[in-house]
Amino acid sequence: MNRRGLVRLLASVCALPLLSGCWNQRPIEQRAIVIAVGVTAHHQWRFLFPNVAVTADSLTAIPSAQQFYTVSVRAPTWQRAVHRLQAGMARKVSVGELQLLMVDDRLSTGQVTRIVDGLNTTGAVPATFWIAASPGSPAALLEQTSPQTVVPYYAVATYFDCRGCHPLRLVERGWQWWAQNATPGDSPYLPLARPTPHGVAVRQLLVYPLHGRPVLMPPPITQGFAYLTNRAVDVAVPVSLDDQAYTVARLDAQVRTRVHLTPRAVAVQVQVRAAGIIDDAPPHTLVTRSLEHAVGLAAAHVIAVRCRDTIDWANRTHTDPFGYAKRAAWLDDALGEMFSAARLTTLPIQAHIAVRVTIHGDGVAR
Amino acid sequence: MSVGPIEPISRGQFFLITTTSVVVGGVYIWPQTVLTDAGLDAPWAVLLSISVALGITWLQTLWPPKTTGMTELGRMQAVWGWGRWPVFLATAALYVPLDGALVALFSQLLQQLYYRYTPLWFFTITVLLMAGWLASHSLAHIARNIQLWFPLLLASFCLLTLMALGHFHETAALHPASVIRVVPIAKGVVATWYLWMQGEVIVTVGGHVRETTWTQIRHWALAAVALQGAIILIIYALVVGTLGPAVAETLEWPLVYIFSNLTVRTLFISRPSIVIVVAWVVALILYLTLHVFVLTVNLQDGWSLSARGRVGLVWALIGLLGGIAWGLPSPVAATDLVVHWIDPAALGVTIMTSLGAPWLVRRRSVQERMPVRSAGGAPPRASPPS
């Protein structure tokens, strides 16, 4: 190596300590990493932290009740809550790993908007966190443990992470709620997470109207919503045929939607194509092609009724969780501009729904 | 003329250089600016912007074959005469502040979204030092670096784009306005122009491509602009089809936001967007390098500087870029400078010079032919070789 090369090498070595990770690093045991936040209706912010294990041995030594700890502060906004939290912490608070935001189901649309916007506008928090509602205060649900999940994974967030695990895909990221809420003609919604003996479960949605408290979507309506929005992954539908009970299971629905604005409503044409199997049939039933056809028609009827009930429910509650009005206004901007943002979101939905269910074979018996 | 022999580059390297000289520097704030200024007419504005960029590139490669010179400034002597200095400096006076603003924006992006605990100046100085160091080298050296890095940048962009397609649900959001309105479309086109300011790269570098003609140079330059046009169309569709135009307009860095929202649960990586950060840093460095290299080579030619003099000029320019970046305290201030001050002026100057140069060359060749014909039958004089 010549002299010039040596000088360059030395300069590079001397420059290494200037690298940002070198001089501004902070060990993990000096950080308080926020992985979940719960907000009550009384501006109480509960931050959940993992109890950092310094060594692999201490990881197994921590009792499950001490694997996570929470700190509560009272503040009107996210930014002030983090300030107050930091003031009382012996570690540097890090919010960049937030996995879950849980809000009280009594919070109004405006209050949730303020919370989510506060999180979204700061670059410190990636908007990929899951967002859900809890019945009442989220404190208990936030600390819910599950034998299915061990540290360093967090049980409640793991439930939302599990792709294709639940019959209905009822999850929402922070950025999705923010985008839906900020676009006229769309009513944002949140999954309502309820505690179970083994963790949490989501079977219903909360839909947020323009103003005021959210509206709880009943379970059958939530199922209809899932059919209409491509969120039904693995559903079982009980049908009755000639007084005999059948179950069509493993239903995976695909939907095609056409929307257009009229001066008084959003007109929607929905085609649901679902495929499933006859999972449960009366004893000694020989499945024939005509029986498959008849069960498929009966299942299609059940699904169509649920979809229509869901549209009726949206019209009754003056919400549009499907975003039909939003899409219609994009397609017909001239007519869309005639409606205010509030009017667009509350426009009645006139839907024509067609459902077809195809029955596939399964197992070894007919 | 003190510009020494410049080692020629290949046609493929010229293509990659031209591709790197546009779009790459300001792609981070795309398409917020066009959505703000054109609203629902943004799709028309984007298509028109790409068409105008292609047209201007075509015009910019029409006149160099009729001239000689090592750099664009040298070639402009035959077209503009003494007027080459104001024309050249007017163009440079626009893309130097643009580059300074893009450095400021990029530093702010890195600090606000990726490395919050690292001071802003650290990114600005690091990027500028590397750009200055690279711009002090030869054209072939820069071309080889671009040849290495640009495919990596493109591959990481394609990977993240494919992943981001999973969030693309709103095709209706791409629907253009039903009534074409001229004023918003024109404003939208102006708001896109920072993407296409290539800092005299095509004409300066086009003269140093091995075994080629200006017709082939034109084709490669048009292909490069078309590739970047396709990329900005893809980004526009991805951002608007994921978030909707109303929301995308409110974001300072829509593309970064879209990529930041990607998550994976494999390979111990939870945020794949970090993959592109490395490539983006290199891309911005190469973009700045090209602009600084081309400007300093032209000034070296014009002022008859030595090679060492050019290196001094490079560091003076780097200092100027650092000063401009330092003077722009927020992304809003930097974006405002780019969109509302540099863009309109740059589009005007570019259109004027791109139309003016071929017209002047044509008028000169007509004037040269006229007296010969009137003198009676002598063959027209051949144009000087390029």
PDB file of all heavy atoms in Angstrom, chain B residues 161-189:
ATOM      1  N   THR B 161     -42.017  -2.009  -4.275  1.00  0.00           N
ATOM      2  CA  THR B 161     -43.241  -1.720  -5.030  1.00  0.00           C
ATOM      3  C   THR B 161     -44.119  -2.961  -5.102  1.00  0.00           C
ATOM      4  O   THR B 161     -45.339  -2.887  -4.913  1.00  0.00           O
ATOM      5  CB  THR B 161     -42.878  -1.235  -6.451  1.00  0.00           C
ATOM      6  OG1 THR B 161     -42.091  -0.058  -6.325  1.00  0.00           O
ATOM      7  CG2 THR B 161     -44.106  -0.918  -7.266  1.00  0.00           C
ATOM      8  N   LEU B 162     -43.511  -4.107  -5.363  1.00  0.00           N
ATOM      9  CA  LEU B 162     -44.286  -5.352  -5.420  1.00  0.00           C
ATOM     10  C   LEU B 162     -44.951  -5.634  -4.070  1.00  0.00           C
ATOM     11  O   LEU B 162     -46.106  -6.049  -4.017  1.00  0.00           O
ATOM     12  CB  LEU B 162     -43.378  -6.521  -5.814  1.00  0.00           C
ATOM     13  CG  LEU B 162     -42.999  -6.588  -7.288  1.00  0.00           C
ATOM     14  CD1 LEU B 162     -41.987  -7.702  -7.514  1.00  0.00           C
ATOM     15  CD2 LEU B 162     -44.239  -6.822  -8.161  1.00  0.00           C
ATOM     16  N   MET B 163     -44.212  -5.388  -2.989  1.00  0.00           N
ATOM     17  CA  MET B 163     -44.790  -5.605  -1.662  1.00  0.00           C
ATOM     18  C   MET B 163     -45.918  -4.603  -1.400  1.00  0.00           C
ATOM     19  O   MET B 163     -46.939  -4.957  -0.820  1.00  0.00           O
ATOM     20  CB  MET B 163     -43.712  -5.464  -0.592  1.00  0.00           C
ATOM     21  CG  MET B 163     -42.674  -6.566  -0.643  1.00  0.00           C
ATOM     22  SD  MET B 163     -41.390  -6.293   0.575  1.00  0.00           S
ATOM     23  CE  MET B 163     -42.286  -6.673   2.053  1.00  0.00           C
ATOM     24  N   ALA B 164     -45.709  -3.361  -1.827  1.00  0.00           N
ATOM     25  CA  ALA B 164     -46.704  -2.315  -1.567  1.00  0.00           C
ATOM     26  C   ALA B 164     -47.982  -2.530  -2.372  1.00  0.00           C
ATOM     27  O   ALA B 164     -49.029  -1.972  -2.036  1.00  0.00           O
ATOM     28  CB  ALA B 164     -46.115  -0.943  -1.877  1.00  0.00           C
ATOM     29  N   LEU B 165     -47.912  -3.324  -3.433  1.00  0.00           N
ATOM     30  CA  LEU B 165     -49.124  -3.603  -4.222  1.00  0.00           C
ATOM     31  C   LEU B 165     -50.192  -4.276  -3.363  1.00  0.00           C
ATOM     32  O   LEU B 165     -51.379  -4.195  -3.667  1.00  0.00           O
ATOM     33  CB  LEU B 165     -48.783  -4.503  -5.416  1.00  0.00           C
ATOM     34  CG  LEU B 165     -48.135  -3.799  -6.603  1.00  0.00           C
ATOM     35  CD1 LEU B 165     -47.795  -4.808  -7.693  1.00  0.00           C
ATOM     36  CD2 LEU B 165     -49.061  -2.720  -7.170  1.00  0.00           C
ATOM     37  N   GLY B 166     -49.767  -4.942  -2.278  1.00  0.00           N
ATOM     38  CA  GLY B 166     -50.729  -5.567  -1.365  1.00  0.00           C
ATOM     39  C   GLY B 166     -51.647  -4.555  -0.700  1.00  0.00           C
ATOM     40  O   GLY B 166     -52.739  -4.900  -0.273  1.00  0.00           O
ATOM     41  N   HIS B 167     -51.217  -3.312  -0.607  1.00  0.00           N
ATOM     42  CA  HIS B 167     -52.050  -2.265  -0.005  1.00  0.00           C
ATOM     43  C   HIS B 167     -52.799  -1.451  -1.055  1.00  0.00           C
ATOM     44  O   HIS B 167     -53.539  -0.527  -0.711  1.00  0.00           O
ATOM     45  CB  HIS B 167     -51.194  -1.306   0.830  1.00  0.00           C
ATOM     46  CG  HIS B 167     -50.611  -1.945   2.055  1.00  0.00           C
ATOM     47  ND1 HIS B 167     -49.479  -1.487   2.683  1.00  0.00           N
ATOM     48  CD2 HIS B 167     -51.002  -3.031   2.765  1.00  0.00           C
ATOM     49  CE1 HIS B 167     -49.201  -2.246   3.723  1.00  0.00           C
ATOM     50  NE2 HIS B 167     -50.108  -3.192   3.785  1.00  0.00           N
ATOM     51  N   PHE B 168     -52.567  -1.771  -2.310  1.00  0.00           N
ATOM     52  CA  PHE B 168     -53.194  -0.997  -3.394  1.00  0.00           C
ATOM     53  C   PHE B 168     -54.609  -1.543  -3.624  1.00  0.00           C
ATOM     54  O   PHE B 168     -54.791  -2.651  -4.102  1.00  0.00           O
ATOM     55  CB  PHE B 168     -52.343  -1.150  -4.666  1.00  0.00           C
ATOM     56  CG  PHE B 168     -52.922  -0.477  -5.879  1.00  0.00           C
ATOM     57  CD1 PHE B 168     -52.630   0.842  -6.150  1.00  0.00           C
ATOM     58  CD2 PHE B 168     -53.753  -1.157  -6.749  1.00  0.00           C
ATOM     59  CE1 PHE B 168     -53.156   1.458  -7.276  1.00  0.00           C
ATOM     60  CE2 PHE B 168     -54.283  -0.548  -7.870  1.00  0.00           C
ATOM     61  CZ  PHE B 168     -53.978   0.769  -8.131  1.00  0.00           C
ATOM     62  N   HIS B 169     -55.624  -0.778  -3.201  1.00  0.00           N
ATOM     63  CA  HIS B 169     -57.002  -1.260  -3.329  1.00  0.00           C
ATOM     64  C   HIS B 169     -57.908  -0.310  -4.098  1.00  0.00           C
ATOM     65  O   HIS B 169     -58.951  -0.711  -4.583  1.00  0.00           O
ATOM     66  CB  HIS B 169     -57.611  -1.473  -1.933  1.00  0.00           C
ATOM     67  CG  HIS B 169     -56.964  -2.581  -1.177  1.00  0.00           C
ATOM     68  ND1 HIS B 169     -56.963  -3.884  -1.607  1.00  0.00           N
ATOM     69  CD2 HIS B 169     -56.288  -2.579  -0.009  1.00  0.00           C
ATOM     70  CE1 HIS B 169     -56.319  -4.639  -0.747  1.00  0.00           C
ATOM     71  NE2 HIS B 169     -55.881  -3.870   0.233  1.00  0.00           N
ATOM     72  N   GLU B 170     -57.522   0.948  -4.164  1.00  0.00           N
ATOM     73  CA  GLU B 170     -58.466   1.946  -4.661  1.00  0.00           C
ATOM     74  C   GLU B 170     -58.159   2.352  -6.099  1.00  0.00           C
ATOM     75  O   GLU B 170     -57.607   3.409  -6.346  1.00  0.00           O
ATOM     76  CB  GLU B 170     -58.450   3.180  -3.748  1.00  0.00           C
ATOM     77  CG  GLU B 170     -58.736   2.885  -2.292  1.00  0.00           C
ATOM     78  CD  GLU B 170     -60.185   2.444  -2.059  1.00  0.00           C
ATOM     79  OE1 GLU B 170     -60.950   2.384  -3.039  1.00  0.00           O
ATOM     80  OE2 GLU B 170     -60.522   2.159  -0.912  1.00  0.00           O
ATOM     81  N   THR B 171     -58.506   1.507  -7.053  1.00  0.00           N
ATOM     82  CA  THR B 171     -58.260   1.873  -8.450  1.00  0.00           C
ATOM     83  C   THR B 171     -59.111   3.075  -8.861  1.00  0.00           C
ATOM     84  O   THR B 171     -58.709   3.856  -9.724  1.00  0.00           O
ATOM     85  CB  THR B 171     -58.570   0.688  -9.380  1.00  0.00           C
ATOM     86  OG1 THR B 171     -59.805   0.122  -8.997  1.00  0.00           O
ATOM     87  CG2 THR B 171     -57.493  -0.365  -9.341  1.00  0.00           C
ATOM     88  N   ALA B 172     -60.280   3.227  -8.207  1.00  0.00           N
ATOM     89  CA  ALA B 172     -61.151   4.360  -8.549  1.00  0.00           C
ATOM     90  C   ALA B 172     -60.469   5.691  -8.252  1.00  0.00           C
ATOM     91  O   ALA B 172     -60.773   6.709  -8.885  1.00  0.00           O
ATOM     92  CB  ALA B 172     -62.455   4.257  -7.765  1.00  0.00           C
ATOM     93  N   ALA B 173     -59.540   5.683  -7.294  1.00  0.00           N
ATOM     94  CA  ALA B 173     -58.856   6.930  -6.926  1.00  0.00           C
ATOM     95  C   ALA B 173     -57.971   7.455  -8.049  1.00  0.00           C
ATOM     96  O   ALA B 173     -57.612   8.627  -8.062  1.00  0.00           O
ATOM     97  CB  ALA B 173     -58.009   6.706  -5.678  1.00  0.00           C
ATOM     98  N   LEU B 174     -57.622   6.580  -8.998  1.00  0.00           N
ATOM     99  CA  LEU B 174     -56.759   7.002 -10.102  1.00  0.00           C
ATOM    100  C   LEU B 174     -57.552   7.669 -11.235  1.00  0.00           C
ATOM    101  O   LEU B 174     -56.969   8.144 -12.198  1.00  0.00           O
ATOM    102  CB  LEU B 174     -56.001   5.785 -10.666  1.00  0.00           C
ATOM    103  CG  LEU B 174     -55.142   5.022  -9.669  1.00  0.00           C
ATOM    104  CD1 LEU B 174     -54.533   3.801 -10.321  1.00  0.00           C
ATOM    105  CD2 LEU B 174     -54.041   5.929  -9.133  1.00  0.00           C
ATOM    106  N   HIS B 175     -58.885   7.634 -11.088  1.00  0.00           N
ATOM    107  CA  HIS B 175     -59.730   8.187 -12.148  1.00  0.00           C
ATOM    108  C   HIS B 175     -59.472   9.676 -12.311  1.00  0.00           C
ATOM    109  O   HIS B 175     -59.578  10.433 -11.351  1.00  0.00           O
ATOM    110  CB  HIS B 175     -61.199   7.954 -11.764  1.00  0.00           C
ATOM    111  CG  HIS B 175     -62.110   7.915 -12.924  1.00  0.00           C
ATOM    112  ND1 HIS B 175     -62.804   9.007 -13.350  1.00  0.00           N
ATOM    113  CD2 HIS B 175     -62.423   6.918 -13.762  1.00  0.00           C
ATOM    114  CE1 HIS B 175     -63.527   8.691 -14.404  1.00  0.00           C
ATOM    115  NE2 HIS B 175     -63.322   7.420 -14.681  1.00  0.00           N
ATOM    116  N   PRO B 176     -59.124  10.134 -13.516  1.00  0.00           N
ATOM    117  CA  PRO B 176     -58.866  11.574 -13.675  1.00  0.00           C
ATOM    118  C   PRO B 176     -60.166  12.370 -13.672  1.00  0.00           C
ATOM    119  O   PRO B 176     -61.256  11.809 -13.799  1.00  0.00           O
ATOM    120  CB  PRO B 176     -58.183  11.652 -15.041  1.00  0.00           C
ATOM    121  CG  PRO B 176     -58.649  10.445 -15.762  1.00  0.00           C
ATOM    122  CD  PRO B 176     -58.929   9.390 -14.755  1.00  0.00           C
ATOM    123  N   ALA B 177     -60.019  13.677 -13.515  1.00  0.00           N
ATOM    124  CA  ALA B 177     -61.203  14.543 -13.539  1.00  0.00           C
ATOM    125  C   ALA B 177     -61.914  14.415 -14.875  1.00  0.00           C
ATOM    126  O   ALA B 177     -61.280  14.289 -15.918  1.00  0.00           O
ATOM    127  CB  ALA B 177     -60.777  15.983 -13.290  1.00  0.00           C
ATOM    128  N   SER B 178     -63.261  14.440 -14.820  1.00  0.00           N
ATOM    129  CA  SER B 178     -64.034  14.246 -16.055  1.00  0.00           C
ATOM    130  C   SER B 178     -63.929  15.460 -16.978  1.00  0.00           C
ATOM    131  O   SER B 178     -63.991  15.337 -18.190  1.00  0.00           O
ATOM    132  CB  SER B 178     -65.491  13.960 -15.702  1.00  0.00           C
ATOM    133  OG  SER B 178     -65.939  14.912 -14.769  1.00  0.00           O
ATOM    134  N   VAL B 179     -63.777  16.629 -16.392  1.00  0.00           N
ATOM    135  CA  VAL B 179     -63.644  17.850 -17.200  1.00  0.00           C
ATOM    136  C   VAL B 179     -62.181  18.300 -17.148  1.00  0.00           C
ATOM    137  O   VAL B 179     -61.625  18.482 -16.065  1.00  0.00           O
ATOM    138  CB  VAL B 179     -64.561  18.964 -16.645  1.00  0.00           C
ATOM    139  CG1 VAL B 179     -64.414  20.238 -17.462  1.00  0.00           C
ATOM    140  CG2 VAL B 179     -66.005  18.498 -16.637  1.00  0.00           C
ATOM    141  N   ILE B 180     -61.586  18.437 -18.316  1.00  0.00           N
ATOM    142  CA  ILE B 180     -60.186  18.848 -18.360  1.00  0.00           C
ATOM    143  C   ILE B 180     -60.093  20.358 -18.148  1.00  0.00           C
ATOM    144  O   ILE B 180     -60.658  21.138 -18.924  1.00  0.00           O
ATOM    145  CB  ILE B 180     -59.544  18.430 -19.699  1.00  0.00           C
ATOM    146  CG1 ILE B 180     -59.494  16.905 -19.765  1.00  0.00           C
ATOM    147  CG2 ILE B 180     -58.150  19.026 -19.848  1.00  0.00           C
ATOM    148  CD1 ILE B 180     -58.978  16.361 -21.062  1.00  0.00           C
ATOM    149  N   ARG B 181     -59.399  20.767 -17.089  1.00  0.00           N
ATOM    150  CA  ARG B 181     -59.254  22.198 -16.788  1.00  0.00           C
ATOM    151  C   ARG B 181     -57.789  22.582 -16.970  1.00  0.00           C
ATOM    152  O   ARG B 181     -56.901  21.961 -16.378  1.00  0.00           O
ATOM    153  CB  ARG B 181     -59.723  22.483 -15.359  1.00  0.00           C
ATOM    154  CG  ARG B 181     -61.236  22.344 -15.204  1.00  0.00           C
ATOM    155  CD  ARG B 181     -61.643  22.398 -13.759  1.00  0.00           C
ATOM    156  NE  ARG B 181     -61.094  21.288 -13.017  1.00  0.00           N
ATOM    157  CZ  ARG B 181     -61.356  21.040 -11.747  1.00  0.00           C
ATOM    158  NH1 ARG B 181     -62.172  21.834 -11.092  1.00  0.00           N
ATOM    159  NH2 ARG B 181     -60.821  20.013 -11.122  1.00  0.00           N
ATOM    160  N   VAL B 182     -57.599  23.595 -17.784  1.00  0.00           N
ATOM    161  CA  VAL B 182     -56.245  23.916 -18.238  1.00  0.00           C
ATOM    162  C   VAL B 182     -55.376  24.464 -17.109  1.00  0.00           C
ATOM    163  O   VAL B 182     -54.225  24.047 -16.940  1.00  0.00           O
ATOM    164  CB  VAL B 182     -56.305  24.927 -19.414  1.00  0.00           C
ATOM    165  CG1 VAL B 182     -54.902  25.352 -19.827  1.00  0.00           C
ATOM    166  CG2 VAL B 182     -57.041  24.305 -20.591  1.00  0.00           C
ATOM    167  N   VAL B 183     -55.935  25.380 -16.314  1.00  0.00           N
ATOM    168  CA  VAL B 183     -55.100  26.061 -15.299  1.00  0.00           C
ATOM    169  C   VAL B 183     -54.545  25.077 -14.256  1.00  0.00           C
ATOM    170  O   VAL B 183     -53.330  25.066 -14.004  1.00  0.00           O
ATOM    171  CB  VAL B 183     -55.884  27.226 -14.644  1.00  0.00           C
ATOM    172  CG1 VAL B 183     -55.078  27.849 -13.509  1.00  0.00           C
ATOM    173  CG2 VAL B 183     -56.213  28.271 -15.703  1.00  0.00           C
ATOM    174  N   PRO B 184     -55.395  24.216 -13.647  1.00  0.00           N
ATOM    175  CA  PRO B 184     -54.809  23.276 -12.680  1.00  0.00           C
ATOM    176  C   PRO B 184     -53.798  22.324 -13.323  1.00  0.00           C
ATOM    177  O   PRO B 184     -52.778  21.992 -12.694  1.00  0.00           O
ATOM    178  CB  PRO B 184     -56.022  22.487 -12.159  1.00  0.00           C
ATOM    179  CG  PRO B 184     -57.187  23.302 -12.473  1.00  0.00           C
ATOM    180  CD  PRO B 184     -56.857  24.085 -13.689  1.00  0.00           C
ATOM    181  N   ILE B 185     -54.066  21.913 -14.560  1.00  0.00           N
ATOM    182  CA  ILE B 185     -53.112  21.007 -15.217  1.00  0.00           C
ATOM    183  C   ILE B 185     -51.778  21.724 -15.441  1.00  0.00           C
ATOM    184  O   ILE B 185     -50.703  21.175 -15.187  1.00  0.00           O
ATOM    185  CB  ILE B 185     -53.696  20.476 -16.549  1.00  0.00           C
ATOM    186  CG1 ILE B 185     -54.887  19.563 -16.261  1.00  0.00           C
ATOM    187  CG2 ILE B 185     -52.636  19.716 -17.344  1.00  0.00           C
ATOM    188  CD1 ILE B 185     -55.628  19.088 -17.480  1.00  0.00           C
ATOM    189  N   ALA B 186     -51.859  22.968 -15.894  1.00  0.00           N
ATOM    190  CA  ALA B 186     -50.618  23.734 -16.120  1.00  0.00           C
ATOM    191  C   ALA B 186     -49.856  23.914 -14.802  1.00  0.00           C
ATOM    192  O   ALA B 186     -48.629  23.746 -14.750  1.00  0.00           O
ATOM    193  CB  ALA B 186     -50.955  25.095 -16.732  1.00  0.00           C
ATOM    194  N   LYS B 187     -50.592  24.224 -13.732  1.00  0.00           N
ATOM    195  CA  LYS B 187     -49.937  24.380 -12.420  1.00  0.00           C
ATOM    196  C   LYS B 187     -49.307  23.058 -11.975  1.00  0.00           C
ATOM    197  O   LYS B 187     -48.218  23.033 -11.406  1.00  0.00           O
ATOM    198  CB  LYS B 187     -50.958  24.852 -11.377  1.00  0.00           C
ATOM    199  CG  LYS B 187     -51.309  26.325 -11.505  1.00  0.00           C
ATOM    200  CD  LYS B 187     -52.429  26.708 -10.578  1.00  0.00           C
ATOM    201  CE  LYS B 187     -51.981  26.793  -9.129  1.00  0.00           C
ATOM    202  NZ  LYS B 187     -53.105  27.218  -8.244  1.00  0.00           N
ATOM    203  N   GLY B 188     -50.023  21.974 -12.283  1.00  0.00           N
ATOM    204  CA  GLY B 188     -49.499  20.655 -11.921  1.00  0.00           C
ATOM    205  C   GLY B 188     -48.218  20.330 -12.674  1.00  0.00           C
ATOM    206  O   GLY B 188     -47.267  19.800 -12.091  1.00  0.00           O
ATOM    207  N   VAL B 189     -48.183  20.663 -13.962  1.00  0.00           N
ATOM    208  CA  VAL B 189     -46.976  20.397 -14.767  1.00  0.00           C
ATOM    209  C   VAL B 189     -45.794  21.195 -14.213  1.00  0.00           C
ATOM    210  O   VAL B 189     -44.685  20.674 -14.055  1.00  0.00           O
ATOM    211  CB  VAL B 189     -47.225  20.736 -16.258  1.00  0.00           C
ATOM    212  CG1 VAL B 189     -45.924  20.667 -17.049  1.00  0.00           C
ATOM    213  CG2 VAL B 189     -48.246  19.778 -16.859  1.00  0.00           C
TER     214      VAL B 189
END
